[in-house]
Amino acid sequence: QRNLEPNVITYNAVISACEKGAQWEKALGLFGELQRRGLEPEIITYSALISACEKGGQWEKALELFEELQQRGLEPNIITYSALISACEKGGQWEKALELFEELQQRGLEPNIITYS
């Protein structure tokens, strides 16, 4: 039997599963594990984490992750912004949600049906 090691794609899939199951704390735990293994998170990783935080009502943590991904030199995409806007909206942070909506357009990203909902 081979000893298979999880890679960033494996972690992305499991973090995404946690997001769909509203297990934001488990998603963050897996994120920590990914980093301890020396793996580099991708924008997909951060988008899934932000979405998990959105579903868990953790808008402040979502914003923290958004800042972190940019500090790592990653470019947020429409999925990232949509999840973060939704997290802010659910947290009653409508002004921040509007600010993020304007920011994504300034970056040349096109809002989609998920962004508007």
Side-chain angles (χ1 to χ4, degrees):
Q1 187 173 4
R2 291 185 294 174
N3 186 9
L4 298 176
E5 290 291 319
N7 61 21
V8 72
I9 296 167
T10 312
Y11 278 99
N12 289 347
V14 178
I15 289 169
S16 185
C18 289
E19 173 258 321
K20 287 170 181 51
Q23 299 293 316
W24 67 273
E25 290 169 307
K26 286 186 180 173
L28 289 174
L30 287 164
F31 181 62
E33 187 180 307
L34 172 148
Q35 293 178 306
R36 283 189 298 278
R37 287 181 172 267
L39 298 172
E40 285 293 319
E42 305 169 331
I43 194 61
I44 295 167
T45 316
Y46 279 100
S47 294
L49 283 168
I50 290 169
S51 191
C53 289
E54 176 260 330
K55 287 182 174 53
Q58 302 297 312
W59 66 270
E60 290 169 304
K61 186 63 182 172
L63 279 171
E64 199 178 294
L65 289 163
F66 186 74
E67 292 301 318
E68 183 181 315
L69 76 87
Q70 292 180 96
Q71 289 170 359
R72 286 181 171 265
L74 296 172
E75 282 290 321
N77 58 30
I78 195 64
I79 296 166
T80 317
Y81 272 105
S82 295
L84 187 57
I85 288 168
S86 183
C88 290
E89 178 267 322
K90 287 182 178 172
Q93 305 299 309
W94 63 269
E95 289 173 322
K96 185 65 178 173
L98 282 176
E99 180 186 313
L100 290 163
F101 183 74
E102 289 172 9
E103 184 181 308
L104 78 86
Q105 292 177 312
Q106 289 169 357
R107 286 183 178 240
L109 297 172
E110 283 290 319
N112 61 24
I113 190 74
I114 296 166
T115 315
Y116 286 114
S117 64

